[in-house]
Amino acid sequence: MSAGSAAARALPREPTAHPDADPGPAALMDCLMGFVRTHALRAALAAGLPEALGERAMSAAELAAACGTEPRAMLRLARCLAEAGTLVQTADGRFALSAWGHGLRAGVPGSARAYIEYVVDHVAPSARHLPELLRSGRAGAPFERENGRDFFAHFAGDPTAGAAFDAAMAATLAAVRAAVVEQDWAGVASVVDVGGGNGSLLAALLGRHRHLRGVLAEQPHVLPGAARVLDAAGVTGRVRLQECDFFTAVPAGADRYLLARVLHDWDDGSALRVLAAVRAALPPHGRLQVVELVLGRDSGWTMAYDLMMGMLLPGHERTAAEWRALLGEAGLVLERIDPAGWRGSILTCRAAPTEPGLRA
């Protein structure tokens, strides 16, 4: 049976409380159980549940046999995931991946597997120090308290954690990649991906638009991994890898610059330094595209995500008004905001005129 036909026969969820009961305590308990659902997702990945199911529906006993787990424990896990909507339970008691549960599988479009592994293994432990953020107001303090060093030092200094981080960032960029790649790139000859991580976005862009030449501007320890990604994509002849400290300078003179999921890592002062470096490199005809969440505009989970960012890093997510003000302070004019799938927006900017008497 396919997941689609299984979903069509899914059993309705039971009420969470008696209809006459006060809904408040039940709602609080539902919120509290969020941590169980999070770890249930991670346990499902560790057990190989998504791959065992694939497009099929299976009983809990069949799933347990396929995954090498204890049957009763697998039943409890599967029921929890079905209650959350990741699985569906058919009328005959079998389980299948829901429409969005397929995102747990590796190698499928929109896979969230790497991001789930990264969040549960490397981010969630810092949540117990969230009161530290409230007391001090210092964003990033919970992660430092948990790990003994700041976010970027931790992932740069631990190869295993660094690989998990790179895979997670590639997964999160995949959610906006299509929107970036499928834009109109006619008339654009060169693009610089500033802080472009493992190069997956630039690889997709150059692979789709054969006339483009690109520069990946990143820290030295990131470039070897990016070289492998770009080589596998067959675009190394049209890309240059350049060591870069984006707080001070970025490669100059390109037609378009990308800052994808970079600025939310930094407070306004640091973000302004990055934007100032790009502004200095941007030619009059050039454009900067910032790919980020826009609070109040993008998906409904963004306020929780912003709080998570406060646990990890000095930065924060921003509203459209905050983006406009930040960009303006850096000498950039926000021309438009376009949707980029469920994971964010594309903010297109040009350089503000510098000559006296000119208006943006």
Side-chain angles (χ1 to χ4, degrees):
M1 180 186 295
S2 71
S5 59
R9 298 174 56 198
L11 295 175
R13 285 184 62 175
E14 293 293 324
T16 56
H18 188 279
D20 295 331
D22 180 358
L28 288 173
M29 181 59 74
D30 187 65
C31 183
L32 181 61
M33 288 301 101
F35 90 97
V36 178
R37 298 185 186 107
T38 298
H39 286 275
L41 289 174
R42 184 65 179 94
L45 297 183
L49 180 149
E51 284 67 37
L53 281 175
E55 300 289 343
R56 301 177 295 168
M58 302 171 68
S59 69
E62 291 169 333
L63 262 177
C67 297
T69 66
E70 195 277 326
R72 177 66 183 175
M74 176 58 76
L75 175 62
R76 298 170 86 169
L77 176 66
R79 290 191 306 202
C80 174
L81 294 172
E83 182 181 60
T86 309
L87 302 183
V88 292
Q89 189 171 8
T90 65
D92 59 3
R94 294 186 295 167
F95 295 92
L97 292 167
S98 68
W100 53 268
H102 283 276
L104 297 178
R105 298 166 65 187
V108 300
S111 174
R113 183 187 185 99
Y115 198 77
I116 292 168
E117 292 172 341
Y118 155 74
V119 168
V120 177
D121 296 351
H122 301 282
V123 172
S126 300
R128 65 193 180 116
H129 303 296
L130 188 54
E132 174 69 18
L133 173 64
L134 298 178
R135 283 193 297 269
S136 69
R138 189 170 66 86
F143 187 91
E144 291 181 25
R145 176 67 67 88
E146 177 67 22
N147 294 282
R149 51 186 171 178
D150 70 43
F151 184 88
F152 288 114
H154 175 77
F155 286 103
D158 182 334
T160 300
F165 175 77
D166 288 343
M169 294 307 99
T172 192
L173 279 176
V176 299
R177 184 181 300 145
V180 174
V181 170
E182 296 305 321
Q183 296 179 100
D184 182 7
W185 289 87
V188 178
S190 57
V191 56
V192 177
D193 192 358
V194 180
N198 73 351
S200 58
L201 178 58
L202 191 59
L205 185 58
L206 269 60
R208 175 69 174 80
H209 301 280
R210 299 290 179 176
H211 69 284
L212 286 177
R213 302 187 68 84
V215 177
L216 182 70
E218 253 295 1
Q219 298 179 82
H221 74 274
V222 178
L223 294 178
R228 291 189 290 272
V229 170
L230 293 161
D231 183 59
V235 299
T236 51
R238 292 183 289 121
V239 66
R240 184 174 86 250
L241 304 181
Q242 183 162 329
E243 294 184 7
C244 173
D245 174 5
F246 55 40
F247 290 115
T248 56
V250 302
D255 299 322
R256 192 169 297 182
Y257 288 78
L258 296 174
L259 278 169
R261 309 295 293 152
V262 169
L263 296 177
H264 74 148
D265 291 342
W266 304 102
D267 59 33
D268 287 353
S270 298
L272 278 171
R273 291 170 59 199
V274 178
L275 289 169
V278 175
R279 171 65 181 84
L282 191 67
H285 70 277
R287 293 294 184 272
L288 164 66
Q289 292 193 312
V290 175
V291 184
E292 293 282 2
L293 293 176
V294 178
L295 289 178
R297 181 186 179 102
D298 293 319
S299 304
W301 44 264
T302 53
M303 300 305 178
Y305 187 87
D306 179 51
L307 182 59
M308 185 183 81
M309 290 297 297
M311 290 163 34
L312 306 180
L313 288 156
H316 58 95
E317 307 301 332
R318 296 171 173 92
T319 65
E322 288 169 334
W323 278 118
R324 192 177 297 276
L326 184 69
L327 293 163
E329 191 171 350
L332 296 159
V333 176
L334 178 59
E335 293 183 325
R336 65 180 190 273
I337 302 177
D338 297 307
W342 66 271
R343 197 61 174 81
S345 295
I346 301 174
L347 297 88
T348 300
C349 320
R350 71 176 190 274
T354 56
E355 292 83 355
L358 291 182
R359 298 180 61 180

